[in-house]
Amino acid sequence: MSLVETVKTVADQISRQQFVEVYAHHDADGIAAGAILCHAMLRTGIRFRLRVCAEVSSESLSNDTASLLCDLGSGRDDLPPETIVVDHHLPLFSGQFHANPRLEKIDGDRELSAAGMAYIVAQEMGNNQDLAGLVIPGIIGDGQEFIGKNLEIFNEGVANGIIVPDKGQTLAGRDMAEKWLLAIRPYLAGISGNDSAVADLISDAQGENGIRQDVLMSLAVLTSAPQASADGLTLLYGDTVHLQREVIEDAHALTAVIDACGKSGHGDLAVALCLRSSAEIGEAWETARRHHLAVIDALKTVQPAHNGEAIYECTDAVVASDMADVLARDWVHQTPVLIYARNGGDCRISARLPRGVEADLGPLVRNLAATCGGTGGGHHNRAGATVPCNRLGDFMKGWQEGLSV
């Protein structure tokens, strides 16, 4: 089927339901995707329950009602065939209700997020053009580009006055000090998490008419450059987006808050923001603040678990994914980065591909996880797995062998 036919099939299946169990991945892209489709269902009178989760299994799905998986499910081949999946990960699911850009030869790593896929489905369910702004956290959160279908949705939002493009600082925070204090995209060694360093930075950049942005950026780069990659530092300033219909207008800030809330176990706050409730903004920001500071604290002490290899152990599974993003993007590595964290009897594994390094992480991680009695998968450049801790050694051996082929 073409993308148009696939989207219509999925939209029609959703529209036929009276009640839908919605499962959304716990990051910005998954939560935004779930919220977009919940908006669309609400507007057509379909009742739903939305759950935010790190992963899903066939056993966890309801047998009595329709299940809709957002940014989840594509990488599983054991789901009931009637499951509805809106995703962009490498596909194994073979059910007919599966909207995934990769099935239509569209790059799901760069050109279309799960939120973007959800928006296209929502458009088939009715006039939901005002939801274009919620696609942006999916693009930013998954490190995608404004090309292909992403660019089409962006341009449509601009044309309809939903999205306003701009240029400026991209850090997320409620004031200037908080933006630098909580910086993890990028992580700034010597500044992130350091109140006194942030105060000095802002003070040194003061001019007669306020803060001089050029001086501020220069000082930040000079402070962090010895331990930072060029790719990370270039994220400090660039394209910004104002979301005219969302409760947090700055797209980078909205992305950071819903992502942090979802990953730290407060998906309800993230969903509330995406459903345009302003009552939870303060609590959501405080949750994001705590999460970012926890990531920063962990980064300050993390050390390679194996000499000479980009393999790291993290003591907190909640922050492992964000740490993997920072280590691969903001630190200089010549090989794929892997971080693992023990969580009871399981190990959570996050793998990332630094720019310029060649590997196909999704299939490698998926196959290794299956061999070790766990589950895993993802994208070509970003992947994750959960395996029993007593099989971690086997996973690591296979990881090293797989990368050396």
Side-chain angles (χ1 to χ4, degrees), residues 46-108:
I46 301 171
R47 296 181 301 118
F48 59 85
R49 175 167 58 173
L50 172 58
R51 310 182 199 192
V52 175
C53 47
E55 54 188 340
V56 70
S57 65
S58 58
E59 294 80 12
S60 64
L61 302 183
S62 171
N63 294 321
D64 302 322
T65 58
S67 295
L68 167 60
L69 277 54
C70 299
D71 200 29
L72 290 164
S74 285
R76 301 195 68 103
D77 59 4
D78 60 346
L79 298 176
E82 67 274 12
T83 306
I84 308 169
V85 174
V86 178
D87 198 357
H88 67 137
H89 291 92
L90 297 171
L92 287 180
F93 177 61
S94 58
Q96 63 174 316
F97 308 118
H98 185 188
N100 186 320
R102 297 180 191 272
L103 297 174
E104 314 304 329
K105 310 302 182 185
I106 298 172
D107 188 344

Side-chain angles (χ1 to χ4, degrees), residues 1-11 104 117 120 124 149:
M1 290 191 292
S2 68
L3 183 63
V4 172
E5 293 171 324
T6 298
V7 166
K8 188 177 189 317
T9 297
V10 170
E104 314 304 329
M117 192 74 257
I120 296 171
E124 189 64 32
K149 289 292 182 181

Side-chain angles (χ1 to χ4, degrees), residues 175-186:
D175 56 40
M176 184 61 70
E178 189 173 64
K179 288 181 178 182
W180 294 96
L181 182 71
L182 304 184
I184 60 171
R185 188 185 180 276

Side-chain angles (χ1 to χ4, degrees), residues 349-352 365-366 369 375-378 382-386:
I349 296 168
S350 296
R352 301 290 187 268
V365 169
R366 181 180 65 223
T375 59
R382 304 173 81 242
T386 301

Side-chain angles (χ1 to χ4, degrees), residues 100-288:
N100 186 320
R102 297 180 191 272
L103 297 174
E104 314 304 329
K105 310 302 182 185
I106 298 172
D107 188 344
D109 282 346
R110 300 167 59 237
E111 295 184 38
L112 191 60
S113 65
M117 192 74 257
Y119 175 80
I120 296 171
V121 173
Q123 286 298 92
E124 189 64 32
M125 296 171 63
N127 182 1
N128 291 296
Q129 290 182 333
D130 65 300
L131 302 178
L134 285 175
V135 177
I136 308 304
I139 296 172
I140 295 174
D142 269 21
Q144 295 203 348
E145 300 175 40
F146 287 92
I147 58 175
K149 289 292 182 181
N150 283 340
L151 183 59
E152 289 181 21
I153 296 169
F154 176 82
N155 287 339
E156 181 179 300
V158 172
N160 291 322
I162 308 300
I163 294 169
V164 177
D166 202 353
K167 288 277 189 181
Q169 188 184 111
T170 62
L171 298 176
R174 288 167 288 187
D175 56 40
M176 184 61 70
E178 189 173 64
K179 288 181 178 182
W180 294 96
L181 182 71
L182 304 184
I184 60 171
R185 188 185 180 276
Y187 170 76
L188 301 167
I191 298 174
S192 299
N194 189 328
D195 284 292
S196 61
V198 170
D200 290 342
L201 179 71
I202 294 174
S203 176
D204 291 343
Q206 288 287 344
E208 293 183 2
N209 299 313
I211 296 174
R212 293 188 56 186
Q213 289 292 331
D214 55 344
V215 174
L216 185 65
M217 292 290 176
S218 296
L219 291 172
V221 169
L222 289 171
T223 301
S224 303
Q227 299 179 54
S229 71
D231 285 337
L233 292 175
T234 57
L235 291 176
L236 284 172
Y237 185 94
D239 293 323
T240 59
V241 181
H242 301 281
L243 306 177
Q244 302 299 93
R245 300 294 180 89
E246 307 311 324
V247 294
I248 296 178
E249 180 183 311
D250 179 78
H252 284 89
L254 179 62
T255 302
V257 173
I258 62 178
D259 192 73
C261 287
K263 289 175 179 173
S264 62
H266 298 277
D268 55 333
L269 294 176
V271 169
L273 297 184
C274 291
L275 293 180
R276 296 172 175 167
S277 171
S278 59
E280 293 80 8
I281 290 179
E283 186 179 356
W285 265 114
E286 287 304 313
T287 300

